[in-house]
Amino acid sequence: MQLERNKPLNAYNTFGFNTKAEMFVEAQSIAQAQEAIEYSKKNALSLTILGDGSNVVLTDDIPGLTLKMATSAFFIDHHQPGAAAIDDNKASDNNTCSVIAEAGVNWHQFVLATIEQQAFGLENLSLIPGTVGAAPIQNIGAYGVEISSSLSFVECIDCESNQLQVFDRDNCEFAYRDSIFKRSPPLQLGNAGFTPQFKQPRFLITRVGFTLQKQFEPQLSYAALANEIALRNLDKPDAQTVSNIVCDIRRSKLPDPAKLGNAGSFFKNPIISLTIQQDIQKHWPDAPCYPQADGTIKIAAAWLLETAGWKGKKVAGGTLGVHDKQALVLVNHGGGNGQALIELATEIKNSVKDMFGIELEQEPRTLPEISHPV
Ligand code: FAD
Ligand code: EPU
């Protein structure tokens, strides 16, 4: 285990904020991750897990030990049906295959490899930044597909026992931008009597299993994707074409973090009642609203921000702002910091609450995460 001290994190978060990790370790194996967890317990250090830092806001230096998974293998087994197929008593089902990827694998490279190796189902999730290990945390989703639809299991280290534990898909409690891993209660690490000031993660995801399809079926429920495919007169697009089109749409509105610091959507799309929707559409008939299966309505947070006048705005001396092509994306124009970004997010939340009566929920995690006093 190679420990680094006072590690600069500007290259380890896609906002590019300049903070440091008191101690930092990259685990090349599950055994090394367990060693790091043991070390943090023995030394009563708070533990923070970091993937590629594309869904975090670093507001300060991170105390204790920051652990990044650097495992990089994945396996696509065309002879083994996916686990969900076995659960459904379809062990002889020849239509699916089992795919397993380690936590440190880059998500987009993994998606491209599945397409190349004729294992289908992840195309619409192309170009989402980050690692495989972080993907189940908020049940990543885009263009009408969520990872939960093809995920079969999540393997983790339970930081309490430091033992491996496997969650079948049904036990992951997946929902829109949510899972058991995002909600898991903070853990009291450290020596007896030690009360950590910072929240501890309960589960470190080590590997993710998928059930992918051998035959490609395009999933075109998302209007922007279906429209683009119609516009290009593509009757039966193949998987690589769908992936390319998803990448094109994404590049046309989402900033590339290598050029403009951001963490994707900063707020979740709020779920509202039919009554609130009707009230809003009395004033704004074009408000983009999407009915959900349970009778609630999802409203586009980007539209709320744009209508409240935030699109393209700059604050904090021009260092931070709201993207001019997609109002849901907050950006670091250069020289901004995490605390000022949270101030901007708070201003935005207040203005949306005042104008529409809707409470926005932040999507990226703020780190370090302070515990409530015990
Ligand atoms: P990090 O940001 O490093 O971590 C995120 C959270 O997961 C943290 O709380 C961290 O502690 C925890 N974590 C990370 N790895 C592990 C692990 N192995 N075990 C346990 N906990 C862990 N998201 C979408 O859903 N859909 C999109 O379309 C989308 N588009 C984006 C576009 C851009 C330009 C950007 C910058 C982000 C976008 N995101 C999107 C958000 C982001 O890409 C995803 O949330 C991604 O899964 C984060 O991966 P990461 O490795 O960077 O995680
Ligand atoms: N819109 C505006 N103003 C804008 C941008 C969009 O009014 O500046 C309206 C448009 O009417 C548009 C609607 O909002 O039709 C939805 O916009 P978009 O298709 O860009 O999607 P989104 O709801 O803003 C969500 C996800 C993205 C995901 C895309 C595609 C959330 C919080 N965000 O964005 O995920 O890539 O759909 O599926 O659910 C992320 O989570 O980080 C992320 C980027």
Side-chain angles (χ1 to χ4, degrees):
M1 189 172 86
Q2 208 179 341
L3 265 185
E4 294 176 74
R5 285 173 196 273
N6 292 319
K7 170 92 172 170
L9 293 176
N10 53 313
Y12 288 80
N13 74 100
T14 57
F15 270 115
F17 291 143
N18 279 316
T19 67
K20 289 192 179 108
E22 189 185 354
M23 287 177 230
F24 182 86
V25 67
E26 291 199 38
Q28 310 289 339
S29 65
I30 292 173
Q32 279 189 9
Q34 286 169 315
E35 198 188 330
I37 292 167
E38 197 49 44
Y39 179 86
S40 72
K41 282 180 160 184
K42 271 203 179 126
N43 294 285
L45 299 170
S46 69
L47 177 71
T48 297
I49 302 166
L50 199 58
D52 281 347
S54 65
N55 213 27
V56 292
V57 183
L58 304 185
T59 51
D60 209 340
D61 291 346
I62 302 186
L65 184 64
T66 299
L67 169 59
K68 177 171 165 57
M69 290 305 285
T71 47
S72 58
F74 59 87
F75 318 91
I76 299 176
D77 188 345
H78 283 279
H79 303 293
Q80 175 74 30
I86 291 174
D87 284 348
D88 294 345
N89 290 326
K90 290 188 202 154
S92 59
D93 184 346
N94 256 340
N95 300 325
T96 66
C97 56
S98 162
V99 177
I100 299 175
E102 291 185 327
V105 173
N106 174 271
W107 175 260
H108 179 58
Q109 295 309 321
F110 170 62
V111 172
L112 293 183
T114 59
I115 296 170
E116 196 181 309
Q117 296 188 40
Q118 311 281 301
F120 304 115
L122 302 177
E123 307 71 31
N124 296 31
L125 303 177
S126 297
L127 211 60
I128 297 182
T131 54
V132 165
I137 307 266
Q138 69 156 5
N139 183 21
I140 56 166
Y143 300 95
V145 172
E146 290 178 331
I147 189 180
S148 53
S149 57
S150 33
L151 180 148
S152 51
F153 71 84
V154 175
E155 179 196 79
C156 319
I157 300 171
D158 179 343
C159 295
E160 197 166 56
S161 62
N162 215 354
Q163 298 297 310
L164 286 176
Q165 182 178 344
V166 175
F167 287 81
D168 291 336
R169 177 178 54 188
D170 291 348
N171 296 326
C172 294
E173 299 176 14
F174 284 123
Y176 166 61
R177 295 295 188 273
D178 202 15
S179 74
I180 193 170
F181 310 108
K182 197 165 176 182
R183 270 178 280 116
S184 60
L187 181 67
Q188 306 281 309
L189 281 182
N191 298 328
F194 171 73
T195 308
Q197 186 191 352
F198 300 98
K199 281 194 183 174
Q200 312 289 305
R202 172 74 192 263
F203 300 110
L204 167 73
I205 295 179
T206 47
R207 297 194 305 166
V208 182
F210 299 85
T211 294
L212 297 186
Q213 307 297 319
K214 292 182 180 177
Q215 297 293 325
F216 176 63
E217 279 292 334
Q219 303 178 63
L220 304 178
S221 61
Y222 204 85
L225 179 58
N227 293 345
E228 191 57 34
I229 282 174
L231 212 67
R232 297 188 194 193
N233 287 321
L234 295 166
D235 197 19
K236 279 202 161 174
D238 62 16
Q240 188 59 61
T241 305
V242 170
S243 166
N244 292 344
I245 292 175
V246 166
C247 292
D248 288 349
I249 299 174
R250 294 180 68 92
R251 287 192 184 104
S252 72
K253 47 186 160 185
L254 294 171
D256 175 356
K259 295 180 184 143
L260 184 59
N262 76 95
S265 302
F266 201 84
F267 302 103
K268 290 189 191 180
N269 286 325
I271 307 292
I272 57 174
S273 65
L274 191 61
T275 322
I276 296 179
Q277 180 206 0
Q278 286 165 346
D279 208 34
I280 288 177
Q281 287 191 329
K282 257 188 233 153
H283 298 91
W284 296 277
D286 296 335
C289 292
Y290 314 99
Q292 304 296 293
D294 62 0
T296 58
I297 314 288
K298 200 187 256 185
I299 183 163
W303 178 87
L304 296 172
L305 266 69
E306 182 169 347
T307 309
W310 286 101
K311 197 167 183 173
K313 269 211 171 162
K314 288 188 177 177
V315 297
T319 57
L320 298 170
V322 178
H323 191 44
D324 57 1
K325 294 200 181 75
Q326 227 293 0
L328 200 46
V329 180
L330 304 195
V331 294
N332 177 15
H333 290 288
N337 67 62
Q339 281 169 14
L341 189 84
I342 294 297
E343 282 167 26
L344 168 61
T346 306
E347 262 193 74
I348 292 174
K349 280 171 85 164
N350 290 341
S351 79
V352 166
K353 174 88 179 154
D354 287 349
M355 194 163 179
F356 303 101
I358 293 177
E359 209 61 80
L360 288 175
E361 192 185 334
Q362 183 177 320
E363 185 189 288
R365 284 292 177 95
T366 301
L367 295 178
E369 208 172 357
I370 314 278
S371 279
H372 295 297
V374 210

